[in-house]
Amino acid sequence: MTGDLRAPGGFRDDLLFRGLALLWVITGGLVAAVTGPLGLEHGSWSAAFQVLVGGVLQAALGIAQHVLAPRGPSARILVAEVLTWNLGCLAVIAGTVLTAPLIVDGGGLLLVATLALMIRTVGRGGNGPVWALWTYRAVLVVTLVSIPIGLLLAHLRAT
């Protein structure tokens, strides 16, 4: 599988993001449901991260990239985006639960890598209305700014 994934006979390149986002939302809901009864220390934080970052943000960015990119990402780029985002989310959660800020740092770097790939895929000549392109870029920037803040908090909590 190579080339533009939106080519005839291909598939919508946002479907992987949508499917994985749904899985994150469902697991986040399940974590939220058992947090109280099981007394999970980081349960509510993990549930919120799963739903908001793993789910909602992944779906929003994947759909926006699909709509705004002048052409679909190559299969290699798509796999890299999906893997780095989801492994990054898993590492952030695992590092937080284990109080291992270096694992959180690794997850944060993977998330930054995904955002860089998405910025490159849409590029300057994106399709769609100007407001949509600027909204997409603003969400990417806010996410990029929030990652080091989260990493700093992970280190402060670990000490």
Side-chain angles (χ1 to χ4, degrees), residues 11-84:
F11 63 93
R12 288 182 52 122
D13 50 59
D14 62 331
L15 291 179
L16 283 173
F17 293 105
R18 289 175 182 223
L20 289 165
L22 178 61
L23 185 62
W24 278 107
V25 169
I26 291 168
T27 60
L30 293 172
V31 167
V34 300
T35 292
L38 295 180
L40 301 175
E41 182 181 349
H42 297 290
S44 64
W45 172 86
S46 177
F49 187 89
Q50 288 174 270
V51 170
L52 297 174
V53 179
V56 174
L57 190 56
Q58 177 171 207
L61 291 175
I63 293 166
Q65 175 181 257
H66 173 75
V67 171
L68 299 173
R71 60 186 172 86
S74 68
R76 233 183 289 193
I77 295 296
L78 180 66
V79 168
E81 288 174 347
V82 167
L83 283 177
T84 54

Side-chain angles (χ1 to χ4, degrees), residues 59-143:
L61 291 175
I63 293 166
Q65 175 181 257
H66 173 75
V67 171
L68 299 173
R71 60 186 172 86
S74 68
R76 233 183 289 193
I77 295 296
L78 180 66
V79 168
E81 288 174 347
V82 167
L83 283 177
T84 54
W85 189 265
N86 290 283
L87 290 174
C89 288
L90 287 171
V92 167
I93 292 168
T96 300
V97 170
L98 297 172
T99 316
L102 293 179
I103 296 173
V104 179
D105 291 345
L109 288 174
L110 289 172
L111 295 175
V112 168
T114 308
L115 297 173
L117 290 170
M118 290 184 147
I119 289 168
R120 184 171 176 246
T121 298
V122 172
R124 293 178 188 227
N127 295 328
V130 172
W131 67 266
L133 287 166
W134 282 107
T135 301
Y136 175 73
R137 292 173 183 143
V139 169
L140 291 173
V141 168
V142 168
T143 305

